[in-house]
């Protein structure tokens, strides 16, 4: 059976975790293929709010096996904490049973986080992601496969030189490194394996795999708003590759987009709002980073961004999230192009400086009423139970969805109207 890819089409935080949690019901495997604990996924199950950074969102489905794939950078201490929290909150123990860490994945070590802590330009999450990927590209990184082959003396010397060169006061010792590596082996040796082979075998057996992206297209190291991006390829081209399976296995690519747009960290966002509408999106949408708690910058839906994401990823369908958040705004705006230095453009400029000069060109649409979370959940339940799809939504909300769909040119297969797992309306 083929694989489904779930990707963010904006600057991350589009609601991938909630969708993956939903579709994982019909999957046997959920695999992450890039990034690390810079990601933050929230899954709401009734009263329970679960936040994950490393664990794939399929964790909530106990029949689902989980993979931290080849293309990831993994902080073992964070993973250990997340697994312990999961078990302490009544979950099964996945270690040795259903969680598998790629032997090819790179390890985030303390010195990576020390170095990342010095960032003042990008506004990183400070989790060591960039420095760990830099070591990977420099071919000096440590992978799970080589845990017992590492020369800790050489590592400590090199890491201390890098810390000194960067102006960081912290230092590491060979002894401490040696202890760290033994601890990682002790905690995870029963999970480390060639996960690409596991996934390939699962596909041969006809099992469904979900490849769960982290961050979003505009944070992609090659296709994003460089340099204000993360350090991995967040897009479709890397989904199979970073999981160790070929792209021919992928038949469905779901692009997740909010009904508006948000960004955390630095870098231009042409539709950013500094007014009451932006404040509404931030407060009603609880727009605070899952990983760092930083407030997210909010703005109107940006078709230029979406067009770019569609070109790079070729989404086969779109999941629109957080439509409910727009409830209560009199007028809705959609950015359909930018004005750059007196010219109208419809594609993302390549430089951060040009993007910062772009002024959004909007079309406007009527808004719809604000409902409570429980009321929206009721609307979603009724739409799904009556099998009427989006027709159960207020007319202006339906118009908004239809307009976006027409502009993007891809079917919107579901619409999220609240944080709960069931607050999602499927298209009929
Ligand atoms: P890094 O991935 O920690 O190096 O951060 C680089 C940029 O990506 C910063 O602007 C972060 O705020 C942003 N970023 C990284 N992960 C996420 C995410 O999961 N959601 C939203 N932004 C993210």
């Amino acid at each position: 059976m083929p694989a489904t890819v779930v990707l963010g089409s904006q600057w991350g935080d589009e609601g991938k975790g909630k969708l993956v949690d939903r579709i994982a019901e019909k999957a046997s495997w959920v695999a992450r293929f890039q990034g690390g604990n810079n990601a933050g996924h929230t899954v709401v199950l009734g009263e329970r709010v679960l936040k994950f950074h490393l664990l794939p969102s399929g964790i909530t489905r106990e029949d689902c096996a989980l993979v931290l794939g080849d293309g990831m950078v993994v902080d073992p201490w964070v993973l250990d904490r997340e697994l312990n929290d999961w078990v302490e909150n009544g979950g099964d123990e996945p270690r040795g049973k259903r969680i598998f860490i790629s032997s090819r994945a790179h390890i985030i070590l303390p010195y990576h986080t020390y170095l990342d802590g010095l960032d003042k330009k990008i506004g990183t999450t400070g989790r060591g992601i960039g420095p760990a990927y830099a070591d990977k590209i420099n071919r000096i990184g440590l992978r799970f496969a080589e845990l017992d082959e590492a020369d800790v003396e050489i590592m400590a010397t090199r890491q201390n030189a890098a810390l000194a060169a960067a102006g960081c006061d912290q230092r590491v010792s060979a002894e401490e490194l040696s202890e760290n590596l033994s601890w990682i082996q002790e905690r995870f040796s029963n999970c480390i394996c060639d996960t690409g082979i596991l996934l390939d075998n699962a596909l041969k057996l006809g099992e469904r795999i979900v490849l769960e992206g982290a961050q979003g297209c505009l944070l992609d190291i090659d296709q994003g708003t460089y340099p204000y991006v993360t350090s991995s390829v967040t897009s479709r081209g890397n989904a199979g590759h970073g999981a160790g399976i070929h792209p021919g296995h992928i038949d469905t690519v779901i692009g997740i987009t909010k009904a508006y747009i948000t960004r955390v960290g630095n870098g231009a966002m042409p539709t950013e709002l500094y007014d009451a509408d932006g404040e509404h999106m931030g407060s009603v949408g609880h727009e605070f980073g899952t990983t760092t708690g930083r407030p997210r910058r909010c703005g109107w839906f940006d078709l230029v961004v979406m067009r770019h994401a569609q070109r790079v990823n070729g989404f086969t369908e779109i999941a629109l999230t957080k439509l409910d958040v727009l409830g209560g705004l009199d007028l809705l705006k959609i950015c359909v192009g930018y004005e750059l230095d007196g010219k109208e453009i419809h594609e993302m400029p390549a430089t951060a400086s040009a993007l910062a000069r772009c002024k959004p060109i909007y079309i406007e649409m009527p808004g719809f009423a604000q409902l409570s979370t429980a009321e929206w959940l009721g609307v979603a339940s009724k739409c799904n139970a009556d099998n009427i799809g989006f027709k159960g939504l207020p007319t202006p909300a339906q118009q908004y969805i239809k307009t976006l769909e027409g502009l993007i040119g891809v079917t919107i297969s579901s619409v999220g109207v609240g944080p709960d797992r069931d607050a999602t309306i499927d298209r009929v």
Side-chain angles (χ1 to χ4, degrees):
M1 195 178 269
T4 299
V5 183
V6 176
L7 299 170
S9 58
Q10 300 171 318
W11 277 287
D13 307 317
E14 299 90 354
K16 294 176 287 292
K18 183 184 154 196
L19 185 94
V20 171
D21 163 68
R22 234 177 142 237
I23 62 175
E25 192 182 10
K26 297 202 176 80
S28 309
W29 296 78
V30 177
R32 280 199 47 195
F33 55 87
Q34 47 72 230
N37 58 309
N38 46 350
H41 304 290
T42 308
V43 177
V44 179
L45 306 176
E47 298 294 296
R48 286 175 78 197
V49 180
L50 307 172
K51 290 185 190 295
F52 308 118
H53 302 281
L54 273 172
L55 290 177
S57 303
I59 180 80
T60 52
R61 309 284 184 181
E62 295 202 356
D63 294 335
C64 214
L66 310 170
V67 165
L68 303 183
D70 307 345
M72 288 189 71
V73 286
V74 178
D75 182 327
W77 291 274
V78 173
L79 182 60
D80 190 56
R81 262 201 315 274
E82 264 182 45
L83 285 164
N84 293 343
D85 281 355
W86 169 252
V87 172
E88 276 161 28
N89 279 294
D92 61 322
E93 171 54 83
R95 264 183 269 223
K97 293 184 192 128
R98 66 177 182 115
I99 187 159
F100 304 97
I101 305 169
S102 169
S103 42
R104 290 180 170 78
H106 280 248
I107 300 175
I108 298 183
L109 293 165
Y111 104 103
H112 293 125
T113 41
Y114 302 156
L115 285 176
D116 205 13
L118 302 175
D119 166 67
K120 294 212 167 42
K121 174 179 172 184
I122 308 298
T124 71
T125 59
R127 301 302 190 255
I129 307 297
Y133 274 118
D135 278 3
K136 170 177 168 168
I137 299 301
N138 282 330
R139 291 154 292 182
I140 54 169
L142 178 68
R143 307 186 307 169
F144 284 94
E146 282 104 15
L147 264 172
D148 56 358
E149 294 173 21
D151 185 327
V152 289
E153 296 290 344
I154 292 178
M155 281 172 71
T157 307
R158 189 188 271 151
Q159 293 182 7
N160 285 330
L163 290 167
C168 180
D169 294 337
Q170 271 146 318
R171 293 291 178 270
V172 297
S173 69
E175 193 188 14
E176 179 194 332
L177 265 171
S178 174
E179 280 167 17
N180 287 344
L181 302 195
S182 305
W183 178 85
I184 298 169
Q185 266 179 320
E186 183 238 312
R187 302 301 287 165
F188 296 108
S189 57
N190 61 349
C191 311
I192 302 165
C193 60
D194 195 328
T195 50
I197 294 176
L198 290 183
L199 294 173
D200 192 54
N201 284 339
L203 287 161
K204 284 181 184 140
L205 291 170
E207 296 176 16
R208 166 120 343 233
I209 291 174
V210 177
L211 299 174
E212 177 180 10
Q215 292 83 47
C217 182
L218 275 292
L219 289 174
D220 185 293
I221 184 82
D222 293 318
Q223 301 297 339
T225 46
Y226 191 88
Y228 302 101
V229 292
T230 191
S231 299
S232 63
V233 174
T234 61
S235 305
R236 176 182 185 165
N238 189 37
H241 190 75
I245 53 172
H246 68 73
H249 286 300
I250 296 165
D251 73 338
T252 307
V253 185
I254 310 178
I256 319 289
T257 178
K258 277 181 191 164
Y260 50 101
I261 203 162
T262 60
R263 179 167 198 173
V264 229
N266 302 332
M269 180 169 109
T271 64
E272 183 166 8
L273 293 169
Y274 304 92
D275 60 8
D277 290 344
E279 275 166 32
H280 171 104
M281 291 170 193
S283 63
V284 178
H286 306 290
E287 296 295 356
F288 295 92
T290 315
T291 302
T292 57
R294 290 178 290 179
R296 297 181 186 139
R297 300 149 62 192
C298 300
W300 295 115
F301 187 91
D302 188 333
L303 187 68
V304 184
V305 163
M306 193 70 212
R307 201 181 280 124
H308 181 82
Q310 172 59 16
R311 174 170 60 78
V312 169
N313 293 294
F315 302 127
T316 57
E317 56 191 89
I318 300 283
L320 186 72
T321 60
K322 300 188 101 166
L323 182 71
D324 55 302
V325 173
L326 297 182
L329 298 174
D330 294 336
L331 195 69
L332 306 180
K333 295 187 187 179
I334 299 171
C335 167
V336 291
Y338 300 146
E339 191 200 302
L340 174 62
D341 303 334
K343 287 202 189 104
E344 186 170 329
I345 59 166
H346 299 98
E347 300 292 345
M348 293 292 295
T351 64
S353 55
L355 189 68
R357 296 197 305 281
C358 285
K359 308 260 179 308
I361 300 168
Y362 289 118
I363 57 168
E364 294 181 351
M365 306 200 53
F368 48 91
Q370 186 165 16
L371 302 181
S372 69
T373 307
E375 285 169 328
W376 279 114
L377 185 58
V379 170
S381 309
K382 187 159 168 34
C383 289
N384 290 331
D386 296 352
N387 207 27
I388 53 170
F390 311 149
K391 292 202 184 80
L393 286 166
T395 308
Q398 290 182 51
Q399 279 166 354
Y400 187 71
I401 297 168
K402 219 170 156 188
T403 305
L404 286 186
E405 195 166 54
L407 290 167
I408 303 166
V410 181
T411 303
I412 294 179
S413 54
S414 68
V415 173
V417 291
D420 198 274
R421 181 189 261 173
D422 296 322
T424 301
I425 305 168
D426 291 315
R427 188 190 193 88
V428 289

